[in-house]
């Protein structure tokens, strides 16, 4: 009996030491974590995006994207106008669709990315899905800080949250589905509103 008890105690000590070593090593490498706490940057960007949508303010929404994203996304003004056309009313609720944000950090390079899906309900009757990828920190390239990718759609789209998904885009499901949308139908000047 003593022998079995000794083996159990030694096993527990060895397993504990292994977990401690693993935690120490992961602090020095890149890591992807399912974060049970809401990162403050995630809340900040989500709140600003929803405020811009509620206020139908294209300039506020565009300013939330990183400098590199603004320079790389094709037809960004048109896509934002399309998004504002799709967004009806004011937000009633914005909830996580996939538990909590996924936070990716590369502590050596000083990079922190946050990716989140939301279900957005408005008083205009829409229930849509929104995906945001935010670069909260980038010590190597400050022009990366901001939203790098955004998707807004009545249907959820699977996005793998790994390095293959990096890039810049704004994807908005056409509010008229497959119908042709003339840019003049969705883009207005401030004086025409």
């Amino acid at each position: 009996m003593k022998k079995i008890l000794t083996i159990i105690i030694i096993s527990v000590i060895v397993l504990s030491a292994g977990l401690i070593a693993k935690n120490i090593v992961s602090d020095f490498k890149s890591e992807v974590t399912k974060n049970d706490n809401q990162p403050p940057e995630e809340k900040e960007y989500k709140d600003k995006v929803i405020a811009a949508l509620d206020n139908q303010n294209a300039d506020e929404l565009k300013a939330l994207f990183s400098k590199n994203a603004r320079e790389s996304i094709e037809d960004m003004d048109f896509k934002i106008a399309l998004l504002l056309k799709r967004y009806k009313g004011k937000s009633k609720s914005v909830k996580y669709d996939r538990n909590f944000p996924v936070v990716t950090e590369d502590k050596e390079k000083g990079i922190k990315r946050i990716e989140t899906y939301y279900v957005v309900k408005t008083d205009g009757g829409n229930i849509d899905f929104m995906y945001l990828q935010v670069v909260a920190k980038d010590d190597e390239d400050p022009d990366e800080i901001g939203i790098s990718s955004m998707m807004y759609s009545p249907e959820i789209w699977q996005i793998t949250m790994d390095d293959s998904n990096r890039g810049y885009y704004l994807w908005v499901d056409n509010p008229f589905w497959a119908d042709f949308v003339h840019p003049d139908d969705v883009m207005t000047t401030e004086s025409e509103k």
Side-chain angles (χ1 to χ4, degrees), residues 107-121:
K107 293 180 180 178
E108 290 175 8
K109 294 181 179 178
I111 297 172
K112 179 179 182 182
R113 288 188 183 95
I114 303 165
E115 298 173 88
T116 318
Y117 281 96
Y118 304 94
V119 176
V120 180
K121 294 181 183 179

Side-chain angles (χ1 to χ4, degrees), residues 132-173:
L132 288 178
Q133 180 182 96
V134 174
V135 177
K137 179 182 178 186
D138 191 328
D139 292 344
E140 292 185 343
D141 186 0
D143 290 342
E144 284 292 315
I145 296 173
I147 297 172
S148 59
S149 303
M150 180 177 178
M151 181 181 289
Y152 198 87
S153 171
E155 296 179 4
I156 194 68
W157 290 81
Q158 179 64 41
I159 294 181
T160 56
M161 296 195 183
D162 59 23
D163 283 339
S164 66
N165 186 41
R166 302 294 175 236
Y168 312 108
Y169 62 85
L170 172 59
W171 190 89
V172 181
D173 211 1

Side-chain angles (χ1 to χ4, degrees), residues 16-27:
S16 297
L19 288 174
I20 291 169
K22 181 181 176 187
N23 287 338
I24 290 170
V25 168
S26 71
D27 284 341

